[in-house]
Amino acid sequence: MATNTETAFDLVVVGGGPGGYVCAIRAAQLGMKVACVEKRGALGGTCLNVGCIPSKVLLQSSHHFHSAKEEFAAHGVKVSGVELDLATMMGRKDKVVGEFTKGIEFLFKKNKVTYVKGAATLTGPNSLKVGDAEYTAKNIVVATGSVSAPLPGVEVDEKTVVSSTGALALGKVPGSMVVIGAGVIGLELGSVWSRLGTKVTVVEFLDKILPPFDDEVSKNTQRILEKQGLAFKLGHKVTGVKATKSGATVSVEPVKGGDAAEIKADVVLVAIGRRPYTEGLGLEAAGVVVDPKGFVPVDSHCRTNVPSVYAIGDVIGGLMLAHKAEEEGVAVAETLAGQAGHVNHGIIPSVVYTNPEIASVGKTEQQLKAEGVAYNVGKFPFLANSRAKASGETQGFVKILADKRTDKVLGAHLIGPNAGELIAEVAIAMEFGASAEDIARTCHAHPSLAEAVKEAAMDVAKSAIHI
Ligand code: FAD
Ligand code: NAI
């Protein structure tokens, strides 16, 4: 890390999340003099501190607990007296997060990125303030991320009524939990607490869970999670949450009309999406406009309406995912260095880390239908995959959508073991404009879960062997 006495930079990045810190490092690698300003006291942003990483730690730990209690016996492994030590589980999560945040500080030092601790306020198109210190920059990148969207009239106290941040740090396992929103956070954190013993009810406004995902994936996922004990109230809106002495009462009402109802719960998790965060940033002083929802509009190079100011990650909207923010960070750094920075927003994988995992890339069937694109479907169930059968994880399938005329892969939708890893193969194939036959004719190791991807690709031409 360079010392904090410099005030004139080629690039100042505001926000040290996956968009911002990656952008800062790449720009420094390309020879720019770079500072990154972060106000939360730790690098890594939402993702590392209160998002991707702590949630995945708890998903893994709660999965181990659940497996030891419910699944080991089927493998002939007898365990008795399985007990939860929640404090150790939470402590491990905090340790992993701490190690990673320190790791980014090390990377800043290694790449000579100046880490400025504090809240940045833009004072012009090439200047900003952090406390009393003033900085100038040839370019500024806004990477200030997002925060949980509030539900009007519902106060989040992070104890009884929690956002994802509170749900990652509960001090004891609640007896019951209502999750508002059957999106990614609702299903991941709902799964964590359900596995640890909480009775979880998920209330969703729409008539399907995971709304942007392929309909078939949403329906199957709901069935699987219901078997795991999660209850769903779809097509219902929450009209109020009243904190009581012992928890909260959630008022719900069918969206299409009908009788209102009340659900009592020890804890209520509000997970209805995230909104861009630009509070106190001073965008107006730099002349940067925001759209009516607060997102910062950018062109295909992530440039705002002010030529010296770029914006990346959650604050510009689109998929609110860490890897999308990172790609944009790299692309902006490379553009500023005179290279051809580019992000293919059509091929960004999405993964939901439930058990089994859900993964998706490219177009869904409903999107292709709406666009009038003719397509073929190839499908292969994990039940017929030898590796999945060997490990006893046979739920789900791989579904590949390919152009009817050219056979080019247009999308893939998976539920199944390690789906979040398997999706990378299809994403690479799509980046190279591959056909389903290209995947089908590539030799895959046996026995492997990846063979299910190969067989689904073979099934596009109805030539799968094992179904
Ligand atoms: P952020 O990570 O939000 O970082 C922005 C940073 O800017 C923050 O640290 C903030 O303190 C700082 N900042 C804001 N304003 C200022 C200012 N004025 N001055 C200085 N600093 C400022 N995505 C995935 O891809 N995979 C997952 O598994 C996943 N899991 C998630 C789980 C949860 C519970 C949540 C909430 C999110 C999850 N996400 C996941 C989404 C992911 O966290 C975000 O998409 C990602 O963090 C966005 O990166 P970013 O750099 O745009 O913003
Ligand atoms: P989300 O957008 O995924 O889901 C929100 C859900 O709440 C939607 O299904 C929506 O219809 C529903 N909803 C909205 N208002 C409602 C209301 N009043 N009553 C009932 N339901 C309502 O948002 P979520 O789950 O909060 O996550 C935010 C973002 O964080 C995600 O979109 C994703 O980008 C990111 N994330 C990514 C993860 C991953 O990649 N594995 C994990 C967790 C979060």
Side-chain angles (χ1 to χ4, degrees):
M1 219 160 11
T3 52
N4 203 349
T5 51
E6 308 269 8
T7 56
F9 292 90
D10 295 321
L11 175 65
V12 173
V13 181
V14 183
Y21 86 74
V22 167
C23 180
I25 291 174
R26 185 71 189 121
Q29 284 176 348
L30 292 167
M32 283 172 249
K33 191 172 157 195
V34 184
C36 179
V37 192
E38 171 55 60
K39 69 176 189 176
R40 78 168 66 228
L43 293 168
T46 302
C47 169
L48 186 42
N49 292 282
V50 289
C52 324
I53 303 306
S55 59
K56 266 78 257 177
V57 174
L58 292 186
L59 277 156
Q60 191 62 47
S61 298
S62 60
H63 177 62
H64 285 323
F65 176 69
H66 186 260
S67 300
K69 275 194 5 183
E70 311 287 342
E71 288 163 10
F72 284 3
H75 292 262
V77 181
K78 284 188 175 176
V79 282
S80 54
V82 176
E83 274 180 51
L84 175 67
D85 176 354
L86 186 63
T88 298
M89 197 179 274
M90 290 291 177
R92 180 176 175 278
K93 173 204 66 170
D94 295 339
K95 187 164 174 276
V96 172
V97 168
E99 284 169 1
F100 269 131
T101 56
K102 288 283 168 239
I104 303 173
E105 284 191 25
F106 164 78
L107 292 175
F108 271 12
K109 216 178 263 180
K110 180 179 159 203
N111 289 283
K112 299 191 171 42
V113 173
T114 300
Y115 172 19
V116 181
K117 291 184 183 169
T121 305
L122 274 58
T123 51
N126 299 95
S127 58
L128 25 76
K129 272 175 85 162
V130 180
D132 293 334
E134 295 184 14
Y135 298 88
T136 59
K138 287 183 198 147
N139 288 106
I140 294 171
V141 170
V142 173
T144 49
S146 64
V147 287
S148 305
L151 186 58
V154 176
E155 198 188 320
V156 170
D157 62 12
E158 297 297 11
K159 285 189 172 66
T160 304
V161 183
V162 297
S163 70
S164 52
T165 302
L168 289 166
L170 297 177
K172 65 175 194 192
V173 179
S176 57
M177 176 184 276
V178 165
V179 176
I180 308 176
V184 197
I185 291 179
L187 300 192
E188 287 189 354
L189 295 182
S191 291
V192 165
W193 291 106
S194 167
R195 290 171 197 169
L196 298 181
T198 304
K199 185 179 173 305
V200 175
T201 305
V202 186
V203 181
E204 166 60 47
F205 187 81
L206 298 175
D207 57 7
K208 69 179 269 203
I209 69 167
L210 295 174
F213 282 70
D214 193 87
D215 282 347
E216 199 177 357
V217 166
S218 295
K219 272 197 202 106
N220 277 276
T221 303
Q222 184 180 339
R223 218 170 293 144
I224 290 169
L225 293 179
E226 278 170 347
K227 272 195 198 143
Q228 292 175 11
L230 275 82
F232 290 95
K233 231 173 166 32
L234 302 186
H236 277 71
K237 65 176 178 217
V238 171
T239 52
V241 177
K242 219 179 344 170
T244 61
K245 264 189 200 152
S246 57
T249 304
V250 182
S251 306
V252 298
E253 211 175 272
V255 175
K256 290 184 181 148
D259 292 338
E262 286 189 340
I263 315 172
K264 290 193 188 316
D266 295 333
V267 170
V268 177
L269 164 59
V270 182
I272 58 164
R274 293 181 63 81
R275 60 164 193 203
Y277 183 70
T278 55
E279 216 174 282
L281 186 58
L283 287 178
E284 46 310 323
V288 177
V289 297
V290 295
D291 75 11
K293 290 188 168 161
F295 290 105
V296 180
V298 292
D299 67 13
S300 60
H301 294 288
C302 292
R303 201 185 331 230
T304 69
N305 62 308
V306 176
S308 59
V309 182
Y310 289 71
I312 57 173
D314 282 9
V315 78
I316 66 169
L319 288 174
M320 288 179 149
L321 296 173
H323 42 284
K324 176 257 193 193
E326 289 185 30
E327 294 300 320
E328 288 167 349
V330 169
V332 165
E334 293 182 349
T335 300
L336 290 175
Q339 300 184 356
H342 174 69
V343 179
N344 182 355
H345 285 101
I347 309 181
I348 308 249
S350 288
V351 178
V352 188
Y353 294 84
T354 44
N355 182 36
E357 292 177 355
I358 297 142
S360 165
V361 67
K363 304 275 182 174
T364 60
E365 271 202 74
Q366 56 269 28
Q367 281 173 325
L368 292 176
K369 278 184 189 141
E371 291 168 15
V373 176
Y375 61 93
N376 287 324
V377 184
K379 241 181 105 178
F380 191 81
F382 279 102
L383 195 58
N385 172 270
S386 48
R387 184 74 200 275
K389 192 92 176 148
S391 53
E393 297 174 298
T394 52
Q395 284 176 318
F397 55 81
V398 179
K399 170 166 157 182
I400 290 183
L401 307 174
D403 189 287
K404 204 176 194 83
R405 199 171 52 83
T406 63
D407 196 36
K408 186 175 173 183
V409 178
L410 302 174
H413 307 282
L414 284 72
I415 308 177
N418 288 3
E421 307 292 335
L422 297 174
I423 199 74
E425 170 182 359
V426 187
I428 292 171
M430 288 175 72
E431 276 291 353
F432 281 87
S435 63
E437 188 179 352
D438 288 327
I439 299 177
R441 290 199 183 275
T442 302
C443 184
H444 288 62
H446 175 77
S448 70
L449 296 170
E451 284 177 296
V453 177
K454 176 186 164 86
E455 291 256 18
M458 292 165 85
D459 188 52
V460 170
K462 300 301 153 222
S463 62
I465 301 291
H466 293 97
I467 42 168

